[in-house]
Amino acid sequence: MGTRKKGVEFVKHITEIIQKSKGFENHLEKVKILDGGDGVCRAELKVDQDHVNMYKFLHGGYIVTLVDMITTYALMSKPCHPGVSVDLSVNFLNGAKLGDDVIIEASLSKVGKYLAFIDCTLKHKNDDRVVAHGTHLKYVKFD
């Protein structure tokens, strides 16, 4: 369920979820949660061998995973259900190579009675060039 934690407490909470995961979330073990709370989550990734395609660029499938998970963490920072995905869309704008540092920022645009809208941007840490931009629509009405 959601949490009202912010800052350091939010970082600890999400990091613990990732570290304890025995499922899909363990794919984020090298992602560092930097900050979050109140509908926002900010993370960092150093692109490693585990994250690249055969051309040594950050794999598109991994980018989609980052958008999915970091937007969900942003939603979890609000007191609501983390929801289930209804739609996930990602535009790939620039590549990130092996060894690059990437910042992932997700923010909640709106939470309604049934749906939550969350945006996410991946940027190069050194020059703010956008790697990808994603939007995530989640169903959140669970009574």
Side-chain angles (χ1 to χ4, degrees):
M1 290 304 257
T3 178
R4 290 181 188 237
K5 294 179 168 100
K6 295 180 182 178
V8 174
E9 290 303 312
F10 177 81
V11 170
K12 286 180 185 176
H13 179 70
I14 299 300
T15 301
E16 186 175 288
I17 289 171
I18 294 168
Q19 289 173 344
K20 288 184 175 182
S21 173
K22 303 254 187 271
F24 191 76
E25 264 172 317
N26 69 13
H27 289 286
L28 299 181
E29 67 184 355
K30 295 180 181 176
V31 173
K32 180 180 180 184
I33 304 298
L34 300 174
D35 195 16
D38 201 29
V40 173
C41 183
R42 191 164 181 268
E44 182 175 356
L45 171 73
K46 179 175 254 339
V47 179
D48 195 8
Q49 190 65 42
D50 299 344
H51 311 129
V52 297
N53 59 26
M54 61 195 261
Y55 303 107
K56 306 293 183 200
F57 280 90
L58 184 58
H59 193 285
Y62 196 74
I63 291 172
V64 173
T65 296
L66 290 169
V67 170
D68 180 17
M69 300 308 294
I70 303 303
T71 56
T72 299
Y73 298 148
L75 179 60
M76 287 172 62
S77 73
K78 290 294 213 178
C80 69
H81 192 284
V84 294
S85 298
V86 173
D87 186 58
L88 181 65
S89 175
V90 179
N91 294 308
F92 304 96
L93 304 168
N94 288 292
K97 296 182 282 191
L98 183 65
D100 287 353
D101 293 310
V102 175
I103 300 294
I104 308 106
E105 296 174 327
S107 62
L108 188 57
S109 297
K110 179 182 179 182
V111 177
K113 187 174 180 181
Y114 298 99
L115 299 172
F117 302 82
I118 315 117
D119 292 310
C120 186
T121 303
L122 285 73
K123 297 179 184 178
H124 284 274
K125 184 177 181 179
N126 66 344
D127 63 7
D128 283 339
R129 265 183 314 130
V130 176
V131 174
H133 180 77
T135 56
H136 198 177
L137 177 62
K138 298 195 87 170
Y139 179 82
V140 294
K141 175 85 168 135
F142 296 91
D143 291 0

